[in-house]
Amino acid sequence: MLPSGQLPGGEPGRRAGSRLAAARRHATAILRSRRVLAPGLTLAIVAAALPIGASPANAAIEPVTPPHAIEVFPAIDMVGAAGFDDPFVVEVWRDGVKVGTSGEPVETDLLELNHDGPPCWSGTTPDIMAGDQIRVITDASDPADPVGEFMTVADLDAETPELVALDADGVANDIVMRGRALTDDGTAPLPIARMAAEIVQPAFRDSSQGWDRRAIGAAPGGQLPAGDTVFDQDDSGVLAYDPVGPANPDGSRWTATWKNLPAELGELALTGEHTIQAWERDDPGGEGVGLTIMDAEDASGPGTGCPAASADAVTDSSHRHVNLAAEAAGGDLVLSGTAYNAAAVNISIDDADGSSADAVTVEAAVNQPAATTATSVPVPGRHQTWTARVPMAALTGGDLADGDLTVAGTYDRVVEERVEVTPDPATPDDPASTLVTYSHTAQPISGRAMVIGKDLVAPQPPTVFPPGGVYYGAQTVTATADDAAMETIRYAVGGAAAAEPTAASPVLPTPYTVSSSQQLKVAAYDRAGNRSGTVTQAYDMRQLGVPGAPGRPTGVAGNGSVRVSWTPPADTGGHPITAYAVRAFDSAGRIVRSTEVAASTTTTALGALSNGRGYTVDVRALNAVGTGVPSVRSVTLVPRTEFVAPRLAAGSPGANASAVAQGANVMARFTEPVSGVNTATMRLVRAGTTTAVRATVSYNAAKRTATLNPVSPLARDARYTVLLTGGIRDAAGNALAATSWSFTTGPRPALSARTPGPGATNVRRGTAVAATFTEAVSGVGGATVRLTRAASGAPVAATLAYNPRTRTVTVNPYGGSTTVLAARTTYRVTVTSGVRDAAGNPMSTTSWTFTTGTR
């Protein structure tokens, strides 16, 4: 054991030595001071084994109060106790089960367990966790009602600090340390007033600043110094909780800040020890008792020479994230971990919705599970490993919400009790008659959990600015993720065939400088490994120069002139376009006209051209460097004096004609002579298709008539459309406006049978009138099928019925027992054109007569 205030000769493997040496200086002050930074306790003790058992039902154990003190360093499984006058034992309890003990009672003012070596915990080193209860038992004479004091381990976490610039001057001379602090049940942040942060660095005293102290602390509250405030050794940092938000939903994230450290001290602070401390409570006198200290650099486990840790923990998972790839692959999520003296291990995976109803539970396979049978001798505890398999479908297809999934274990730890059977009353003085057995009972406790992520939603593709295109100088490119806090943008770059970015690709720098032609591909990856689609941007980096070629001009011929239009060049040469130069060429390729127009227009007219002669036109763009590349020349444009376009004078079959013969030709007569009539400019297309009917097309110039003759008869009862295009032109080159019309082929529906037949005589007055059609029809009704007296035309009341299966209409003029038709009278049956087939072809109106007899 080192003298008070002396540091160990070497740096301990778990970085506890320098802190504990400093703590030794404060061992007394912890009992008298409201706030002490980095307190600690040191004393040696000979460990002795004690049974580990269940919690007494009526334990007379109170919260620790001055002058007593308990400190715990959970990350290194260390506990210190001070100020207890009676012999005592230190115990660790979890979920009502004793999971660690210091052994036989010891009488001392100051006890420290597992400070990088002996004194050690007895039997096994407890894996101390947040929420565990540290008990100092001062009287265990009644095992059912021991006397002592306790504290509960706070849920603390500290991260290695950073040296940053918090002021506008950009000087990185501010230390920022972060972490979290929760009550032992994990439901709320710890009161900030009972916390402090500290950076321990003995080298502070050897710095050029001439300090006489080895640590700087951060107390809750207060204001951050201004940017120009000089830091000195008496200044402390400021500790506060971060605002509640997406990154801090429960308000448990804290930040400790030390402003304006000299560069030398800032670098030293980064290499020191970084702790967060929390007092369990304040007593009425204002003295802190029950202290949890967490060091960002601590490594858990037993000290040198101490027994192995009794770790109950989930230690590994085959998938750190339940993501889209894992969902697609299926299989099992394989979990593994450690246990101590467990009869069974049960694993649950739950989301953060506050309800365990949707949790997925499995039983783990334990290596050498502990037995619960009674024995005649004590059974040493055993360190175990376990594995558990969870079907991926249970995690992706169940009710677990996306977000953090907590993988937690329930460990049925076997606790051992020594049981003595009373000696035989007949031989009370015979020790051999006393029977000693050891009972073993499995009692559930919790252990260290693991958090894995679940995310089954792919990120949105990043937004890249500026987009790809032609540029004449280096571009500063930024890519923005849809959720910058949760997603990382990775990239690949190359030529036209740049590889796709993968999860192993580098992170896109911010900003990313593009100074040469390249294809940039980016994709966003979220923390679960899900990938967005790829965004590809091609950057064409060019040197400054003359403009590229404008778009090919198009033109309209006029009387002795042409008007042309074009589109600006894609490549401006890096300078604004100042003008356009337009030239007209004759058929021999000679320039006959030229003009220059302002950059604000992309159309102009060239006059003084000869009607009837063909001309082509090109355009060049001008900028500050010079005249650019000429465009492709236009098609030949012919100025003319006549501007009336030809039109369709008549078409056969006519528009909406019906019952057209299947072998009919299609003809089109124009208002003036035309040219360009062929199978490309005159087509026949069946409705619902785009393929032209195979046909020959001819043109009779004398009659100004084009004829389309189908190679095969047209389909029955089909709709066809005739299409005429602007490729048909008159002698002056005026184009026919696109023209179309439609018709329907036949045949018309007709009657295949009639009863009574036409001209029938002596028809029995009770005979029904019927007519059968040649095909299925519609429109059959009283308005289209009529029975009248032939002489007067007076209608005869009748009942009409149509049977679509037999295509037969029946007219029944008889009702009840009364005969309606008169004797020796001529009647007429008429079927009108209102009856149509499925293609809409109307029936030709048909009528016939018959004459009744006397019966």
Side-chain angles (χ1 to χ4, degrees):
M1 183 167 56
L2 297 172
S4 177
Q6 180 177 328
L7 297 178
E11 181 72 7
R14 295 174 299 137
R15 298 181 59 85
S18 61
R19 180 195 59 246
L20 295 174
R24 202 172 293 113
R25 294 185 295 108
H26 301 296
T28 303
I30 190 176
L31 307 178
R32 299 181 173 89
S33 172
R34 176 175 174 79
R35 289 291 177 264
V36 179
L37 300 177
L41 305 160
T42 306
L43 190 70
I45 184 172
V46 177
L50 282 180
I52 297 178
S55 175
N58 299 305
I61 302 176
E62 302 293 337
V64 60
T65 57
H68 305 150
I70 303 175
E71 285 189 359
V72 59
F73 301 84
I76 57 173
D77 305 325
M78 173 188 160
V79 170
F84 292 90
D85 298 328
D86 298 321
F88 62 89
V89 174
V90 178
E91 298 176 346
V92 181
W93 289 75
R94 182 182 310 148
D95 303 328
V97 177
K98 187 196 306 179
V99 297
T101 179
S102 60
E104 295 291 344
V106 60
E107 183 173 1
T108 180
D109 289 334
L110 194 62
L111 174 65
E112 175 187 293
L113 294 168
N114 199 46
H115 171 203
D116 203 30
C120 304
W121 295 95
S122 176
T124 61
T125 299
D127 180 22
I128 299 176
M129 297 169 47
D132 285 354
Q133 193 178 87
I134 309 299
R135 298 181 181 180
V136 175
I137 304 300
T138 55
D139 184 356
S141 58
D142 182 359
D145 192 17
V147 176
E149 297 180 6
F150 75 92
M151 68 161 286
T152 302
V153 180
D155 189 352
L156 296 178
D157 182 48
E159 302 168 5
T160 302
E162 300 174 284
L163 190 61
V164 299
L166 296 179
D167 301 311
D169 59 11
V171 178
N173 62 352
D174 307 311
I175 291 286
V176 174
M177 183 167 71
R178 297 181 173 88
R180 63 174 181 81
L182 286 163
T183 52
D184 56 274
D185 59 3
T187 60
L190 285 169
I192 195 72
R194 296 208 300 265
M195 295 168 54
E198 185 179 42
I199 297 177
V200 179
Q201 173 54 275
F204 283 156
R205 294 185 295 202
D206 301 324
S207 70
S208 61
Q209 304 297 313
W211 275 18
D212 59 6
R213 62 188 303 172
R214 59 190 298 279
I216 54 175
Q223 297 291 323
L224 289 175
D228 57 356
T229 303
V230 177
F231 188 93
D232 66 51
Q233 63 176 326
D234 294 324
D235 289 335
S236 63
V238 175
L239 175 67
Y241 279 118
D242 298 344
V244 174
N248 185 32
D250 60 4
S252 67
R253 294 285 298 177
W254 55 262
T255 298
T257 306
W258 290 266
K259 288 284 299 292
N260 310 323
L261 274 76
E264 179 187 10
L265 297 183
E267 295 297 334
L268 288 174
L270 290 181
T271 60
E273 295 183 46
H274 313 103
T275 67
I276 182 70
Q277 311 167 26
W279 285 262
E280 185 177 35
R281 64 183 178 84
D282 286 339
D283 77 344
E287 296 181 343
V289 292
L291 179 63
T292 302
I293 303 177
M294 180 66 69
D295 190 322
E297 289 75 31
D298 275 337
S300 64
T304 303
C306 288
S310 57
D312 299 286
V314 182
T315 61
D316 200 11
S317 169
S318 61
H319 295 73
R320 292 300 179 183
H321 297 282
V322 177
N323 57 16
L324 292 170
E327 181 181 41
D332 293 337
L333 174 73
V334 181
L335 303 166
S336 56
T338 56
Y340 179 74
N341 217 33
V345 176
N346 292 282
I347 302 299
S348 70
I349 304 177
D350 201 4
D351 55 24
D353 64 358
S355 169
S356 61
D358 54 1
V360 176
T361 59
V362 294
E363 183 176 354
V366 182
N367 176 39
Q368 296 184 325
T372 56
T373 55
T375 61
S376 59
V377 295
V379 179
R382 62 183 61 176
H383 296 273
Q384 303 155 310
T385 60
W386 56 263
T387 58
R389 308 183 75 92
V390 183
M392 189 60 66
L395 305 176
T396 61
D399 296 327
L400 294 177
D402 281 14
D404 286 344
L405 301 181
T406 300
V407 184
T410 299
Y411 303 82
D412 290 344
R413 176 169 289 190
V414 174
V415 296
E416 184 175 89
E417 297 284 350
R418 186 176 186 277
V419 180
E420 291 188 4
V421 177
T422 304
D424 186 345
T427 57
D429 298 326
D430 184 3
S433 66
T434 300
L435 179 63
V436 178
T437 61
Y438 295 85
S439 67
H440 297 89
T441 305
Q443 300 191 32
I445 63 171
S446 58
R448 294 193 183 275
M450 172 181 287
V451 175
I452 61 176
K454 178 182 178 182
D455 188 345
L456 300 181
V457 179
Q460 293 296 313
T463 300
V464 179
F465 183 84
V470 176
Y471 295 96
Y472 294 90
Q475 297 296 303
T476 299
V477 177
T478 58
T480 305
D482 184 58
D483 186 346
M486 302 297 290
E487 296 168 7
T488 301
I489 299 175
R490 299 188 179 273
Y491 79 106
V493 67
E500 289 287 309
T502 68
S505 296
V507 176
L508 185 73
T510 302
Y512 175 73
T513 301
V514 177
S515 57
S516 61
S517 295
Q518 59 187 252
Q519 184 167 265
L520 174 66
K521 292 186 175 181
V522 296
Y525 284 83
D526 62 23
R527 293 185 180 181
N530 297 311
R531 185 186 191 279
S532 73
T534 300
V535 176
T536 301
Q537 300 290 349
Y539 295 90
D540 185 359
M541 311 304 293
R542 301 183 183 181
Q543 298 295 322
L544 293 172
V546 298
R552 186 182 188 185
T554 59
V556 177
N559 186 0
S561 66
V562 293
R563 174 165 287 278
V564 291
S565 301
W566 60 91
T567 56
D571 179 6
T572 67
H575 293 284
I577 301 297
T578 57
Y580 291 101
V582 185
R583 302 180 295 181
F585 301 82
D586 63 13
S587 58
R590 294 171 298 200
I591 299 174
V592 295
R593 294 287 182 273
S594 64
T595 187
E596 190 171 296
V597 298
S600 58
T601 183
T602 55
T603 183
T604 191
L606 294 171
L609 301 177
S610 299
N611 287 327
R613 293 186 179 182
Y615 300 90
T616 56
V617 178
D618 74 3
V619 182
R620 296 173 296 169
L622 287 70
N623 67 8
V625 177
T627 302
V629 180
S631 70
V632 175
R633 291 189 190 180
S634 69
V635 299
T636 300
L637 303 171
V638 182
R640 58 190 185 278
T641 57
E642 193 265 308
F643 300 98
V644 178
R647 294 177 291 105
L648 179 69
S652 176
N656 295 317
S658 59
V660 174
Q662 293 171 256
N665 290 339
V666 177
M667 292 185 293
R669 182 164 57 85
F670 303 99
T671 56
E672 60 179 307
V674 295
S675 61
V677 177
N678 52 47
T679 54
T681 58
M682 184 177 186
R683 296 182 301 144
L684 183 65
V685 178
R686 185 171 179 177
T689 71
T690 58
T691 303
V693 172
R694 292 182 59 204
T696 60
V697 175
S698 59
Y699 177 65
N700 187 321
K703 295 183 178 180
R704 307 190 306 278
T705 300
T707 300
L708 184 148
N709 183 8
V711 173
S712 302
L714 301 180
R716 175 191 179 101
D717 291 338
R719 184 112 175 135
Y720 288 88
T721 300
V722 184
L723 301 173
L724 303 176
T725 73
I728 300 173
R729 297 175 176 272
D730 63 13
N734 298 304
L736 174 80
T739 305
S740 65
W741 75 93
S742 300
F743 62 85
T744 304
T745 59
R748 299 176 185 275
L751 296 177
S752 60
R754 289 175 277 187
T755 303
T761 59
N762 201 27
V763 174
R764 293 180 62 87
R765 297 167 66 191
T767 301
V769 178
T772 301
F773 299 96
T774 56
E775 58 182 309
V777 295
S778 62
V780 177
T784 56
V785 180
R786 301 193 297 269
L787 179 63
T788 60
R789 287 178 178 266
S792 64
V796 177
T799 301
L800 184 144
Y802 175 65
N803 187 330
R805 184 176 62 82
T806 61
R807 306 188 304 280
T808 299
V809 60
T810 302
V811 182
N812 184 3
Y814 310 104
S817 59
T818 304
T819 299
V820 176
L821 296 183
R824 296 177 181 165
T825 303
T826 299
Y827 290 90
R828 182 180 302 278
V829 183
T830 303
V831 182
T832 72
S833 60
V835 176
R836 297 176 178 269
D837 63 14
N841 292 312
M843 177 177 175
S844 296
T845 299
T846 304
S847 67
W848 74 96
T849 61
F850 65 88
T851 304
T852 58
T854 58
R855 297 183 179 181

